Coordinates of all heavy atoms in Angstrom, one line a residue:
M1 N -8.5 -4.9 -6.6 CA -7.1 -4.6 -6.5 C -6.4 -5.3 -7.6 O -6.7 -6.4 -8.0 CB -6.6 -5.2 -5.1 CG -7.1 -4.4 -3.9 SD -7.1 -5.3 -2.4 CE -8.6 -4.8 -1.7
A2 N -5.5 -4.5 -8.3 CA -5.0 -5.0 -9.6 C -3.6 -5.5 -9.5 O -2.8 -5.0 -8.7 CB -5.1 -3.8 -10.5
Y3 N -3.3 -6.4 -10.4 CA -1.9 -6.8 -10.7 C -1.6 -6.2 -12.0 O -2.3 -6.4 -13.0 CB -1.7 -8.3 -10.7 CG -0.4 -8.7 -11.1 CD1 0.7 -8.5 -10.3 CD2 -0.2 -9.2 -12.4 CE1 2.0 -8.9 -10.7 CE2 1.1 -9.6 -12.8 CZ 2.2 -9.4 -12.0 OH 3.5 -9.7 -12.4
Y4 N -0.5 -5.5 -12.2 CA -0.1 -4.9 -13.4 C 1.0 -5.8 -14.1 O 2.1 -5.9 -13.6 CB 0.4 -3.5 -13.2 CG -0.6 -2.6 -12.6 CD1 -0.6 -2.4 -11.2 CD2 -1.6 -2.0 -13.4 CE1 -1.5 -1.6 -10.6 CE2 -2.5 -1.2 -12.8 CZ -2.5 -1.0 -11.4 OH -3.5 -0.2 -10.8
N5 N 0.6 -6.6 -15.0 CA 1.5 -7.6 -15.7 C 2.4 -6.9 -16.6 O 2.4 -7.1 -17.9 CB 0.6 -8.6 -16.4 CG 1.5 -9.8 -16.8 OD1 2.6 -10.0 -16.4 ND2 0.9 -10.7 -17.6
T6 N 3.3 -6.1 -16.1 CA 4.3 -5.3 -17.0 C 5.4 -6.2 -17.5 O 6.1 -5.7 -18.5 CB 4.9 -4.2 -16.2 OG1 5.6 -4.7 -15.0 CG2 3.8 -3.2 -15.7
N7 N 5.6 -7.3 -17.0 CA 6.7 -8.2 -17.5 C 6.2 -9.4 -18.3 O 6.9 -10.3 -18.6 CB 7.6 -8.6 -16.4 CG 6.9 -9.2 -15.2 OD1 5.7 -9.3 -15.2 ND2 7.6 -9.5 -14.2
G8 N 4.9 -9.4 -18.7 CA 4.3 -10.4 -19.6 C 4.3 -11.8 -19.0 O 4.5 -12.8 -19.7
L9 N 4.1 -12.0 -17.7 CA 4.0 -13.3 -17.1 C 2.8 -14.1 -17.7 O 1.8 -13.5 -18.0 CB 3.9 -13.2 -15.6 CG 5.1 -12.6 -14.9 CD1 4.8 -12.5 -13.3 CD2 6.3 -13.4 -15.1
K10 N 2.9 -15.4 -17.7 CA 1.8 -16.3 -18.1 C 1.7 -17.4 -17.2 O 2.6 -17.8 -16.5 CB 2.1 -16.7 -19.5 CG 2.1 -15.6 -20.6 CD 2.4 -16.1 -21.9 CE 2.4 -14.9 -22.9 NZ 2.8 -15.3 -24.2
G11 N 0.5 -18.1 -17.3 CA 0.3 -19.4 -16.6 C 0.5 -19.3 -15.1 O -0.1 -18.4 -14.4
K12 N 1.2 -20.3 -14.5 CA 1.3 -20.3 -13.1 C 2.1 -19.2 -12.5 O 1.8 -18.7 -11.4 CB 2.1 -21.6 -12.7 CG 1.2 -22.9 -12.9 CD 2.0 -24.1 -12.5 CE 1.2 -25.4 -12.7 NZ 1.9 -26.6 -12.3
M13 N 3.1 -18.7 -13.2 CA 3.8 -17.5 -12.7 C 2.9 -16.3 -12.6 O 2.9 -15.5 -11.6 CB 5.0 -17.1 -13.7 CG 6.1 -18.2 -13.6 SD 7.0 -18.2 -12.0 CE 7.8 -16.6 -12.1
L14 N 2.0 -16.1 -13.5 CA 1.0 -15.0 -13.5 C 0.1 -15.2 -12.3 O -0.2 -14.3 -11.6 CB 0.3 -14.9 -14.8 CG -0.8 -13.8 -14.9 CD1 -0.2 -12.4 -14.6 CD2 -1.5 -13.8 -16.2
S15 N -0.4 -16.4 -12.2 CA -1.3 -16.7 -11.1 C -0.7 -16.5 -9.7 O -1.4 -15.9 -8.8 CB -1.8 -18.2 -11.1 OG -2.5 -18.4 -12.3
R16 N 0.5 -16.9 -9.5 CA 1.3 -16.6 -8.3 C 1.4 -15.2 -8.0 O 1.3 -14.7 -6.9 CB 2.6 -17.3 -8.3 CG 2.5 -18.8 -8.0 CD 3.9 -19.4 -7.8 NE 3.9 -20.6 -8.5 CZ 4.8 -21.1 -9.3 NH1 5.9 -20.4 -9.6 NH2 4.7 -22.2 -9.9
S17 N 1.8 -14.4 -9.0 CA 2.0 -13.0 -8.9 C 0.7 -12.3 -8.5 O 0.7 -11.3 -7.7 CB 2.6 -12.4 -10.1 OG 3.9 -12.9 -10.3
I18 N -0.4 -12.7 -9.1 CA -1.7 -12.1 -8.8 C -2.0 -12.4 -7.3 O -2.5 -11.5 -6.6 CB -2.8 -12.6 -9.8 CG1 -2.6 -12.0 -11.2 CG2 -4.2 -12.2 -9.2 CD1 -3.4 -12.6 -12.2
K19 N -1.9 -13.6 -6.9 CA -2.2 -14.0 -5.5 C -1.3 -13.2 -4.5 O -1.8 -12.8 -3.5 CB -1.9 -15.5 -5.4 CG -2.2 -16.1 -4.0 CD -3.7 -16.0 -3.8 CE -4.0 -16.7 -2.4 NZ -5.3 -16.4 -1.9
K20 N 0.0 -13.1 -4.9 CA 0.9 -12.3 -4.0 C 0.5 -10.9 -3.9 O 0.5 -10.3 -2.8 CB 2.3 -12.4 -4.5 CG 3.4 -11.8 -3.6 CD 4.8 -12.0 -4.2 CE 5.8 -11.5 -3.3 NZ 7.2 -11.6 -3.9
T21 N 0.0 -10.3 -5.0 CA -0.5 -8.9 -4.9 C -1.7 -8.8 -4.1 O -1.8 -7.9 -3.2 CB -0.8 -8.4 -6.3 OG1 0.4 -8.4 -7.1 CG2 -1.4 -7.0 -6.3
E22 N -2.6 -9.7 -4.2 CA -3.8 -9.7 -3.4 C -3.5 -9.9 -1.9 O -4.1 -9.2 -1.1 CB -4.8 -10.9 -3.8 CG -5.4 -10.6 -5.2 CD -6.2 -11.8 -5.7 OE1 -6.1 -13.0 -5.1 OE2 -6.8 -11.7 -6.7
T23 N -2.6 -10.7 -1.6 CA -2.1 -11.0 -0.2 C -1.5 -9.7 0.4 O -1.9 -9.2 1.5 CB -1.1 -12.1 -0.1 OG1 -1.8 -13.3 -0.6 CG2 -0.6 -12.3 1.3
Q24 N -0.6 -9.0 -0.4 CA 0.0 -7.8 0.1 C -1.1 -6.7 0.3 O -1.1 -6.0 1.3 CB 1.0 -7.3 -0.9 CG 2.3 -8.2 -0.9 CD 3.3 -7.8 -1.9 OE1 3.1 -6.9 -2.7 NE2 4.4 -8.4 -1.9
D25 N -2.0 -6.6 -0.6 CA -3.1 -5.6 -0.5 C -4.0 -5.9 0.7 O -4.3 -4.9 1.5 CB -4.0 -5.6 -1.8 CG -3.3 -4.9 -2.9 OD1 -2.2 -4.3 -2.8 OD2 -3.8 -5.1 -4.1
N26 N -4.2 -7.1 1.0 CA -5.0 -7.5 2.2 C -4.3 -7.2 3.5 O -4.9 -6.7 4.4 CB -5.4 -9.0 2.1 CG -6.4 -9.3 1.0 OD1 -7.2 -8.4 0.6 ND2 -6.5 -10.5 0.6
I27 N -3.0 -7.4 3.5 CA -2.2 -7.0 4.6 C -2.2 -5.5 4.9 O -2.4 -5.1 6.0 CB -0.7 -7.5 4.5 CG1 -0.6 -9.0 4.5 CG2 0.2 -6.9 5.5 CD1 0.7 -9.6 4.1
R28 N -2.1 -4.8 3.8 CA -2.1 -3.3 4.0 C -3.5 -2.8 4.4 O -3.6 -1.9 5.3 CB -1.7 -2.6 2.7 CG -0.2 -2.8 2.4 CD 0.2 -2.3 1.0 NE 1.5 -2.7 0.8 CZ 1.9 -3.7 0.0 NH1 1.0 -4.4 -0.6 NH2 3.2 -4.0 -0.2
M29 N -4.5 -3.4 3.9 CA -5.9 -3.0 4.2 C -6.2 -3.3 5.7 O -6.7 -2.5 6.4 CB -6.9 -3.7 3.3 CG -8.2 -3.1 3.3 SD -8.3 -1.4 2.8 CE -9.8 -0.9 3.5
A30 N -5.7 -4.5 6.1 CA -5.9 -4.9 7.5 C -5.2 -3.9 8.4 O -5.6 -3.6 9.5 CB -5.4 -6.3 7.8
F31 N -4.0 -3.5 8.0 CA -3.2 -2.6 8.8 C -3.9 -1.3 9.0 O -4.0 -0.7 10.1 CB -1.8 -2.4 8.1 CG -1.0 -1.3 8.8 CD1 -0.2 -1.6 9.9 CD2 -1.0 0.0 8.3 CE1 0.5 -0.6 10.6 CE2 -0.2 1.0 8.9 CZ 0.5 0.7 10.1
F32 N -4.4 -0.7 7.9 CA -5.2 0.6 7.9 C -6.4 0.4 8.8 O -6.8 1.3 9.5 CB -5.5 1.1 6.6 CG -4.3 1.9 6.0 CD1 -3.5 1.2 5.1 CD2 -4.1 3.2 6.3 CE1 -2.4 2.0 4.5 CE2 -3.0 3.9 5.7 CZ -2.2 3.3 4.8
K33 N -7.1 -0.7 8.7 CA -8.3 -0.9 9.5 C -8.0 -1.0 11.0 O -8.7 -0.5 11.8 CB -9.0 -2.2 9.1 CG -9.8 -2.1 7.8 CD -10.5 -3.4 7.4 CE -11.3 -3.2 6.2 NZ -12.0 -4.5 5.8
K34 N -6.9 -1.6 11.3 CA -6.5 -1.8 12.7 C -6.1 -0.4 13.3 O -6.3 -0.1 14.5 CB -5.2 -2.7 12.8 CG -4.8 -2.9 14.2 CD -3.6 -3.9 14.2 CE -3.1 -4.1 15.7 NZ -2.0 -5.0 15.7
H35 N -5.6 0.5 12.5 CA -5.1 1.8 12.9 C -5.9 2.9 12.2 O -5.4 3.9 11.7 CB -3.6 2.0 12.6 CG -2.7 0.9 13.1 ND1 -2.4 0.9 14.4 CD2 -2.2 -0.2 12.5 CE1 -1.6 -0.2 14.6 NE2 -1.5 -0.8 13.5
K36 N -7.2 2.8 12.3 CA -8.1 3.6 11.5 C -8.1 5.1 11.8 O -8.6 5.9 11.0 CB -9.5 3.1 11.5 CG -10.2 3.0 12.8 CD -11.6 2.5 12.6 CE -11.8 1.2 13.4 NZ -13.1 0.6 13.1
T37 N -7.6 5.5 13.0 CA -7.6 6.9 13.4 C -6.3 7.6 13.0 O -6.2 8.8 13.2 CB -7.9 7.1 14.9 OG1 -6.8 6.4 15.6 CG2 -9.2 6.5 15.2
K38 N -5.3 6.9 12.5 CA -4.0 7.5 12.3 C -3.7 7.5 10.8 O -4.2 6.6 10.0 CB -2.9 6.6 13.0 CG -1.6 7.2 12.9 CD -0.6 6.5 13.9 CE 0.8 7.0 14.0 NZ 1.4 7.6 12.9
S39 N -2.9 8.4 10.3 CA -2.4 8.6 9.0 C -1.0 8.0 8.9 O -0.2 8.1 9.8 CB -2.4 10.0 8.5 OG -3.7 10.6 8.6
W40 N -0.8 7.4 7.7 CA 0.5 6.7 7.5 C 1.1 7.0 6.2 O 0.4 7.1 5.2 CB 0.3 5.2 7.6 CG -0.3 4.7 8.9 CD1 -1.6 4.6 9.2 CD2 0.5 4.3 10.0 NE1 -1.7 4.1 10.5 CE2 -0.5 4.0 11.0 CE3 1.8 4.2 10.3 CZ2 -0.1 3.5 12.3 CZ3 2.2 3.8 11.6 CH2 1.2 3.4 12.6
T41 N 2.5 7.0 6.1 CA 3.2 7.1 4.8 C 3.4 5.7 4.3 O 3.4 4.8 5.1 CB 4.5 7.9 5.0 OG1 5.4 7.0 5.7 CG2 4.4 9.2 5.6
P42 N 3.7 5.6 3.0 CA 4.0 4.3 2.5 C 5.3 3.7 3.2 O 5.3 2.5 3.5 CB 4.3 4.6 1.0 CG 3.4 5.7 0.7 CD 3.5 6.6 1.9
H43 N 6.3 4.5 3.5 CA 7.5 4.0 4.2 C 7.1 3.5 5.6 O 7.7 2.5 6.0 CB 8.5 5.1 4.3 CG 9.5 5.0 3.2 ND1 9.4 5.8 2.1 CD2 10.6 4.2 3.1 CE1 10.4 5.5 1.3 NE2 11.2 4.5 1.8
E44 N 6.2 4.1 6.3 CA 5.8 3.7 7.6 C 5.2 2.3 7.5 O 5.4 1.4 8.3 CB 4.9 4.7 8.3 CG 5.6 5.9 8.7 CD 4.7 7.0 9.2 OE1 3.6 7.1 8.7 OE2 5.1 7.8 10.1
V45 N 4.3 2.2 6.6 CA 3.5 0.9 6.4 C 4.5 -0.2 6.0 O 4.5 -1.3 6.5 CB 2.4 1.0 5.3 CG1 1.8 -0.3 5.0 CG2 1.4 2.0 5.7
W46 N 5.5 0.1 5.1 CA 6.5 -0.8 4.7 C 7.3 -1.3 5.8 O 7.6 -2.5 6.0 CB 7.3 -0.1 3.6 CG 8.5 -1.0 3.1 CD1 8.4 -2.1 2.3 CD2 9.9 -0.7 3.4 NE1 9.7 -2.5 2.0 CE2 10.6 -1.7 2.6 CE3 10.6 0.2 4.1 CZ2 12.0 -1.8 2.7 CZ3 12.0 0.1 4.1 CH2 12.6 -0.8 3.4
K47 N 7.8 -0.4 6.7 CA 8.6 -0.7 7.8 C 7.9 -1.6 8.8 O 8.5 -2.5 9.4 CB 9.2 0.5 8.5 CG 10.3 1.2 7.8 CD 10.7 2.5 8.5 CE 11.3 2.2 9.9 NZ 11.8 3.4 10.5
I48 N 6.6 -1.4 9.0 CA 5.9 -2.1 10.0 C 5.4 -3.4 9.5 O 5.4 -4.5 10.2 CB 4.7 -1.2 10.6 CG1 5.3 0.0 11.3 CG2 3.8 -2.1 11.4 CD1 4.2 1.0 11.7
C49 N 5.0 -3.5 8.3 CA 4.3 -4.7 7.8 C 5.1 -5.7 7.0 O 4.7 -6.8 6.8 CB 3.1 -4.3 6.9 SG 1.8 -3.4 7.7
F50 N 6.3 -5.2 6.5 CA 7.0 -6.0 5.5 C 8.5 -6.1 5.8 O 9.0 -5.2 6.5 CB 6.8 -5.5 4.1 CG 5.4 -5.6 3.7 CD1 4.5 -4.6 3.8 CD2 4.8 -6.8 3.2 CE1 3.2 -4.6 3.4 CE2 3.5 -6.9 2.8 CZ 2.7 -5.8 2.9
T51 N 9.2 -7.0 5.2 CA 10.6 -7.1 5.3 C 11.2 -6.4 4.1 O 10.5 -6.0 3.2 CB 11.0 -8.6 5.2 OG1 10.7 -9.1 3.9 CG2 10.4 -9.5 6.3
K52 N 12.5 -6.2 4.2 CA 13.2 -5.5 3.1 C 13.1 -6.2 1.7 O 13.4 -5.5 0.7 CB 14.6 -5.2 3.5 CG 14.7 -4.3 4.7 CD 16.1 -3.7 4.8 CE 16.3 -2.9 6.0 NZ 15.8 -1.6 6.0
S53 N 12.7 -7.4 1.7 CA 12.5 -8.1 0.4 C 11.3 -7.7 -0.3 O 11.2 -7.9 -1.5 CB 12.5 -9.6 0.6 OG 11.3 -10.0 1.4
T54 N 10.4 -7.0 0.4 CA 9.2 -6.4 -0.3 C 9.6 -5.0 -0.8 O 9.9 -4.2 0.0 CB 8.0 -6.3 0.6 OG1 7.7 -7.6 1.1 CG2 6.8 -5.7 -0.1
P55 N 9.6 -4.7 -2.1 CA 9.9 -3.4 -2.6 C 9.0 -2.3 -2.1 O 7.8 -2.5 -2.0 CB 9.9 -3.5 -4.1 CG 9.8 -5.0 -4.4 CD 9.2 -5.7 -3.2
I56 N 9.5 -1.1 -1.8 CA 8.7 0.0 -1.4 C 7.7 0.4 -2.5 O 6.6 0.8 -2.3 CB 9.5 1.2 -0.9 CG1 8.7 2.3 -0.4 CG2 10.4 1.7 -2.1 CD1 7.9 2.1 0.9
T57 N 8.1 0.1 -3.7 CA 7.3 0.4 -4.9 C 6.0 -0.4 -4.9 O 4.9 0.0 -5.3 CB 8.0 0.2 -6.2 OG1 8.5 -1.1 -6.3 CG2 9.1 1.2 -6.4
S58 N 6.1 -1.6 -4.3 CA 4.9 -2.5 -4.2 C 3.9 -1.9 -3.1 O 2.7 -1.9 -3.3 CB 5.2 -3.9 -3.7 OG 5.9 -4.6 -4.8
V59 N 4.5 -1.3 -2.1 CA 3.7 -0.7 -1.1 C 3.0 0.6 -1.6 O 1.8 0.8 -1.5 CB 4.5 -0.3 0.2 CG1 3.7 0.4 1.2 CG2 5.1 -1.6 0.8
R60 N 3.8 1.4 -2.4 CA 3.2 2.6 -3.0 C 2.1 2.2 -4.0 O 1.1 2.8 -4.1 CB 4.3 3.3 -3.7 CG 5.3 4.0 -2.8 CD 6.3 4.8 -3.6 NE 7.4 5.2 -2.9 CZ 7.4 6.1 -2.0 NH1 6.3 6.8 -1.7 NH2 8.5 6.4 -1.3
R61 N 2.3 1.1 -4.8 CA 1.3 0.7 -5.8 C 0.1 0.3 -5.1 O -1.0 0.7 -5.5 CB 1.9 -0.5 -6.6 CG 1.0 -0.9 -7.7 CD 0.4 -2.3 -7.7 NE 0.8 -3.2 -6.6 CZ 0.0 -3.8 -5.7 NH1 -1.3 -3.5 -5.7 NH2 0.4 -4.6 -4.8
S62 N 0.2 -0.5 -4.1 CA -1.0 -0.9 -3.3 C -1.7 0.2 -2.7 O -3.0 0.3 -2.8 CB -0.5 -1.9 -2.2 OG -1.6 -2.4 -1.5
I63 N -1.0 1.1 -2.1 CA -1.7 2.3 -1.5 C -2.4 3.2 -2.5 O -3.5 3.6 -2.3 CB -0.7 3.1 -0.6 CG1 -0.4 2.3 0.7 CG2 -1.3 4.5 -0.3 CD1 0.7 2.9 1.6
S64 N -1.8 3.3 -3.7 CA -2.4 4.0 -4.8 C -3.7 3.3 -5.2 O -4.7 4.0 -5.4 CB -1.5 4.2 -6.0 OG -0.4 5.0 -5.6
D65 N -3.6 2.0 -5.4 CA -4.8 1.2 -5.8 C -5.9 1.3 -4.8 O -7.1 1.5 -5.1 CB -4.4 -0.2 -6.1 CG -3.6 -0.4 -7.4 OD1 -3.5 0.5 -8.2 OD2 -3.1 -1.5 -7.5
L66 N -5.5 1.2 -3.5 CA -6.5 1.2 -2.5 C -7.2 2.6 -2.4 O -8.4 2.8 -2.0 CB -6.0 0.8 -1.1 CG -5.6 -0.7 -1.0 CD1 -4.7 -0.9 0.2 CD2 -6.8 -1.6 -1.0
T67 N -6.4 3.7 -2.6 CA -6.9 5.0 -2.7 C -7.8 5.2 -3.9 O -8.9 5.8 -3.8 CB -5.8 6.0 -2.7 OG1 -4.9 5.9 -1.6 CG2 -6.3 7.5 -2.7
N68 N -7.4 4.7 -5.1 CA -8.2 4.8 -6.3 C -9.5 4.0 -6.1 O -10.6 4.5 -6.6 CB -7.5 4.3 -7.5 CG -6.4 5.2 -7.9 OD1 -6.4 6.4 -7.6 ND2 -5.4 4.7 -8.6
D69 N -9.5 2.9 -5.3 CA -10.7 2.2 -5.0 C -11.5 2.7 -3.9 O -12.5 2.1 -3.5 CB -10.4 0.7 -4.8 CG -9.8 0.0 -6.0 OD1 -10.1 0.5 -7.1 OD2 -9.2 -1.1 -5.9
E70 N -11.1 3.8 -3.3 CA -11.7 4.6 -2.2 C -11.7 3.9 -0.9 O -12.5 4.2 0.0 CB -13.1 5.0 -2.7 CG -13.1 6.0 -3.9 CD -14.5 6.4 -4.3 OE1 -15.5 6.0 -3.7 OE2 -14.5 7.3 -5.1
F71 N -10.8 2.9 -0.7 CA -10.7 2.3 0.6 C -9.8 3.2 1.5 O -10.0 3.1 2.7 CB -10.1 0.9 0.5 CG -10.9 -0.1 -0.2 CD1 -10.6 -0.6 -1.4 CD2 -12.1 -0.5 0.4 CE1 -11.4 -1.5 -2.1 CE2 -13.0 -1.4 -0.2 CZ -12.6 -1.9 -1.5
L72 N -8.9 3.9 0.9 CA -8.0 4.8 1.6 C -8.2 6.2 1.1 O -8.7 6.4 0.0 CB -6.5 4.5 1.5 CG -6.1 3.1 1.9 CD1 -4.6 2.9 1.6 CD2 -6.4 2.8 3.4
V73 N -7.8 7.2 1.9 CA -7.9 8.6 1.4 C -6.5 9.2 1.6 O -5.9 9.0 2.6 CB -9.0 9.5 2.0 CG1 -10.4 9.0 1.6 CG2 -8.9 9.4 3.5
F74 N -6.1 10.1 0.7 CA -4.9 10.9 0.8 C -5.3 12.1 1.6 O -6.3 12.8 1.4 CB -4.4 11.3 -0.6 CG -3.3 12.3 -0.5 CD1 -2.1 12.0 0.2 CD2 -3.3 13.5 -1.2 CE1 -1.1 12.9 0.2 CE2 -2.3 14.4 -1.2 CZ -1.1 14.1 -0.5
T75 N -4.6 12.4 2.7 CA -4.9 13.4 3.7 C -4.5 14.8 3.2 O -4.9 15.8 3.8 CB -4.3 13.2 5.0 OG1 -2.9 13.3 4.8 CG2 -4.6 11.8 5.6
K76 N -3.8 14.9 2.0 CA -3.3 16.1 1.5 C -2.2 16.7 2.3 O -1.7 17.8 2.0 CB -4.4 17.2 1.2 CG -5.5 16.7 0.3 CD -6.3 17.8 -0.2 CE -7.5 17.4 -1.1 NZ -7.6 16.2 -1.7
R77 N -1.7 15.9 3.3 CA -0.5 16.3 4.1 C 0.6 15.5 3.6 O 0.5 14.4 3.2 CB -0.8 16.1 5.6 CG -1.9 17.0 6.1 CD -2.1 16.9 7.6 NE -1.2 16.0 8.4 CZ -1.6 14.9 9.1 NH1 -2.9 14.6 9.1 NH2 -0.8 14.2 9.8
R78 N 1.8 16.1 3.7 CA 3.1 15.5 3.3 C 4.1 15.7 4.4 O 4.1 16.7 5.1 CB 3.6 16.0 2.0 CG 2.7 15.8 0.8 CD 3.3 16.2 -0.5 NE 2.4 16.1 -1.6 CZ 2.2 15.0 -2.3 NH1 2.8 13.9 -2.0 NH2 1.3 14.9 -3.3
V79 N 4.9 14.7 4.6 CA 6.0 14.7 5.6 C 7.3 14.3 4.9 O 7.3 13.8 3.8 CB 5.8 13.8 6.8 CG1 4.5 14.2 7.5 CG2 5.6 12.3 6.3
L80 N 8.4 14.6 5.5 CA 9.7 14.3 5.0 C 9.9 12.8 4.9 O 9.7 12.1 5.9 CB 10.8 15.0 5.8 CG 12.2 15.0 5.3 CD1 12.2 15.8 3.9 CD2 13.2 15.6 6.2
S81 N 10.4 12.3 3.8 CA 10.6 10.8 3.6 C 12.0 10.5 4.1 O 12.8 11.4 4.3 CB 10.4 10.4 2.2 OG 11.5 10.8 1.4
P82 N 12.3 9.2 4.3 CA 13.7 8.8 4.6 C 14.8 9.3 3.6 O 15.9 9.4 3.9 CB 13.6 7.3 4.7 CG 12.2 7.0 4.9 CD 11.4 8.1 4.2
Y83 N 14.3 9.6 2.4 CA 15.2 10.0 1.3 C 15.2 11.5 1.1 O 15.5 12.1 0.1 CB 14.9 9.3 0.0 CG 15.0 7.8 0.3 CD1 13.8 7.0 0.2 CD2 16.2 7.2 0.5 CE1 13.9 5.6 0.4 CE2 16.3 5.8 0.7 CZ 15.1 5.0 0.7 OH 15.2 3.7 0.9
N84 N 14.7 12.3 2.1 CA 14.6 13.7 2.1 C 13.7 14.3 1.0 O 13.8 15.5 0.7 CB 16.0 14.4 1.9 CG 16.8 14.1 3.2 OD1 16.3 14.1 4.3 ND2 18.1 13.8 2.9
G85 N 12.7 13.5 0.6 CA 11.7 14.0 -0.3 C 10.4 14.1 0.5 O 10.4 13.9 1.7
K86 N 9.3 14.5 -0.2 CA 8.0 14.6 0.5 C 7.2 13.3 0.2 O 7.2 12.8 -0.9 CB 7.3 15.8 0.0 CG 7.9 17.1 0.4 CD 7.6 17.5 1.8 CE 8.2 18.9 2.0 NZ 7.6 19.6 3.1
E87 N 6.6 12.8 1.3 CA 5.8 11.6 1.2 C 4.4 11.9 1.8 O 4.3 12.5 2.8 CB 6.5 10.5 2.0 CG 6.1 9.1 1.5 CD 6.9 8.0 2.2 OE1 7.4 8.2 3.3 OE2 7.1 7.0 1.5
G88 N 3.4 11.5 1.0 CA 2.0 11.7 1.4 C 1.5 10.8 2.6 O 2.1 9.7 2.8
L89 N 0.6 11.3 3.3 CA 0.0 10.6 4.4 C -1.4 10.1 4.0 O -2.2 10.8 3.4 CB -0.2 11.5 5.6 CG 1.1 11.8 6.4 CD1 1.0 13.0 7.2 CD2 1.5 10.6 7.2
Y90 N -1.7 8.8 4.2 CA -2.9 8.2 3.9 C -3.6 7.6 5.1 O -2.9 7.2 6.1 CB -2.6 7.0 2.9 CG -2.0 7.5 1.6 CD1 -0.7 7.8 1.5 CD2 -2.8 7.8 0.5 CE1 -0.1 8.3 0.3 CE2 -2.3 8.3 -0.7 CZ -0.9 8.5 -0.8 OH -0.4 9.0 -1.9
K91 N -4.9 7.5 5.0 CA -5.7 6.9 6.2 C -6.9 6.1 5.6 O -7.2 6.3 4.4 CB -6.1 7.9 7.2 CG -7.1 8.9 6.7 CD -7.5 9.9 7.8 CE -8.6 10.8 7.3 NZ -9.1 11.6 8.4
L92 N -7.5 5.3 6.5 CA -8.6 4.5 6.1 C -9.8 5.5 5.8 O -10.0 6.5 6.5 CB -9.0 3.6 7.2 CG -10.1 2.6 6.9 CD1 -9.7 1.6 5.9 CD2 -10.6 2.0 8.3
N93 N -10.5 5.2 4.7 CA -11.7 5.9 4.3 C -12.8 5.3 5.1 O -13.4 4.3 4.8 CB -12.0 5.9 2.9 CG -13.2 6.7 2.4 OD1 -13.9 7.3 3.3 ND2 -13.4 6.7 1.1
T94 N -13.2 5.9 6.2 CA -14.2 5.4 7.1 C -15.6 5.5 6.5 O -16.6 5.0 7.1 CB -14.2 6.0 8.5 OG1 -14.3 7.4 8.4 CG2 -12.9 5.7 9.2
N95 N -15.8 6.2 5.4 CA -17.1 6.3 4.8 C -17.4 5.1 3.9 O -18.5 4.9 3.5 CB -17.1 7.6 3.9 CG -17.1 8.8 4.7 OD1 -17.6 8.9 5.8 ND2 -16.4 9.8 4.2
T96 N -16.4 4.2 3.6 CA -16.7 3.1 2.7 C -16.6 1.8 3.5 O -16.8 0.7 2.8 CB -15.6 3.1 1.6 OG1 -14.4 2.9 2.2 CG2 -15.7 4.3 0.7
I97 N -16.4 1.8 4.8 CA -16.3 0.5 5.4 C -17.5 0.3 6.3 O -18.2 1.2 6.7 CB -15.0 0.3 6.3 CG1 -14.9 1.4 7.3 CG2 -13.8 0.2 5.4 CD1 -13.8 1.1 8.3

């Protein structure tokens, strides 16, 4: 699971940000493992697992990374998002656990 250092952090700040990303990814992975038979949108995961201080973009990044690492799969289904756009549904890849 990756941390994208787009703002050029160094030293302790970089270490803290990497640790925070790992923690958030672990929370999301545990959530998908707990609910392995259901598909979820990033907004649903965000509402259940995090407070509003966690940006939805962090949830999307994590879900993308977990999908790229084959821990999650995109179901190819989309639903209406809270902002009237389409949002993909993801679920645990039971072939890799």
Side-chain angles (χ1 to χ4, degrees):
M1 293 159 217
Y3 172 74
Y4 302 96
N5 191 11
T6 58
N7 49 2
L9 296 177
K10 295 179 182 174
K12 289 182 183 181
M13 290 293 290
L14 178 59
S15 296
R16 278 189 223 132
S17 293
I18 291 169
K19 182 70 175 163
K20 186 174 182 181
T21 297
E22 290 171 351
T23 300
Q24 289 177 353
D25 287 348
N26 289 335
I27 290 169
R28 289 177 189 100
M29 195 61 201
F31 174 82
F32 277 97
K33 283 181 178 179
K34 182 177 179 183
H35 304 282
K36 61 178 122 190
T37 61
K38 189 170 183 326
S39 300
W40 300 90
T41 68
H43 265 95
E44 290 171 325
V45 174
W46 177 72
K47 281 176 65 176
I48 293 169
C49 294
F50 296 95
T51 65
K52 294 197 186 279
S53 65
T54 300
I56 184 66
T57 54
S58 291
V59 176
R60 292 183 193 286
R61 185 245 354 122
S62 179
I63 288 175
S64 291
D65 288 347
L66 292 169
T67 301
N68 289 338
D69 292 342
E70 299 183 352
F71 293 112
L72 302 179
V73 292
F74 174 55
T75 66
K76 301 197 182 346
R77 293 185 5 240
R78 296 185 185 276
V79 296
L80 193 61
S81 78
Y83 304 110
N84 295 322
K86 296 280 183 154
E87 203 171 31
L89 288 160
Y90 297 84
K91 66 179 186 174
L92 186 69
N93 183 355
T94 55
N95 294 327
T96 60
I97 57 168

